Amino acid sequence: MNKKSKSLGKPTQRTRHHTVDESIESRPSRLIAYLRVSTDGQGDTGQSLQSQREQCEHYAAAYKNVIIEFVEEVASATDMERPLLKKALQRIAGREADGLLIAKLDRLTRSIVDIGTLVRPKTGVLSEDRGQLHSVNEKVDTASPSGRLILHIIVLFAQWELEKIQERTREAMRSMRERGLFTGGHPPYGFSLVGGKLVDNEAEESLLQRVADFVTKPGVSLREIADILHREGFRSRRGGRFLPTQVNRLLVAAERRANRTVKRG
């Protein structure tokens, strides 16, 4: 009876076996720091390559992660077709790194579509089971569900803000056109830019009147019209002879003025 009591009183010792997954989770994340500027002089806006590098270094040290490579790229964020970014993502897809570290989300993209593609479950390079995305300024860490939720909310608002800016720009341009103000580019033939407004250009007006004679003559080719204009002394704004493509634009301008359209091959 006493032997039984002694055996029952002995604490049972259990050996804990660490799995491969646990050992992976316990080690620091290996991150590729992606640094991007649109132009070489973007440092004036506070987003220089050096500034981004320092932010990433501080973040990695604070969260005990390891930066295995810094990737610096001078490119626009209009799409994800950036050579160095693609190489970095390929390394993550190949398990050479655990994730991507950026100083700010707009250094990567402003598009919710692009973000959604990167973190899409099962298929995205930075999805939960394939890679991580860390952003210093927004404090995003997609290694957790809450981090992924925060990321989507932030990008949705960024996309909304961008669309509102585009909408306001379109409305401003429309208002300028309605008031006769010039909205950019080269003034159309027949006009000059004076004080931000389009005014009639008499010299080019005579050119359009001459070109209007060909509107009702669809059998004359663009090259033939260019030759005729050159022989008659008409020159382009740069002082040369008109090219067929320029003649085509002149015809369109003349047709609009005459309020009639003639198709020309």
Side-chain angles (χ1 to χ4, degrees), residues 7 17 30 33 37 46 56 91-92 110 120 123 143 149 160 170 176 178 183 186 210 216 225 233 257 261:
S7 64
H17 298 282
R30 303 164 303 155
V37 290
C56 290
R91 291 194 64 188
I92 296 171
R110 292 183 176 88
R120 182 177 297 141
T123 61
L149 175 61
W160 174 81
R170 286 193 297 269
M176 289 176 65
E178 290 174 352
T183 57
H186 297 291
R210 180 67 180 99
T216 56
I225 295 175
R257 290 196 169 210
T261 302

Side-chain angles (χ1 to χ4, degrees), residues 121-157:
K122 306 302 181 184
T123 61
V125 175
L126 303 178
S127 61
E128 180 182 0
D129 57 338
R130 301 184 70 186
Q132 305 166 12
L133 176 61
H134 298 254
S135 180
V136 179
N137 277 256
E138 292 86 0
K139 296 180 173 57
V140 166
D141 176 4
T142 60
S144 66
S146 59
R148 290 190 293 275
L149 175 61
I150 291 172
L151 172 64
H152 281 288
I153 292 174
I154 290 173
V155 176
L156 278 172
F157 272 102

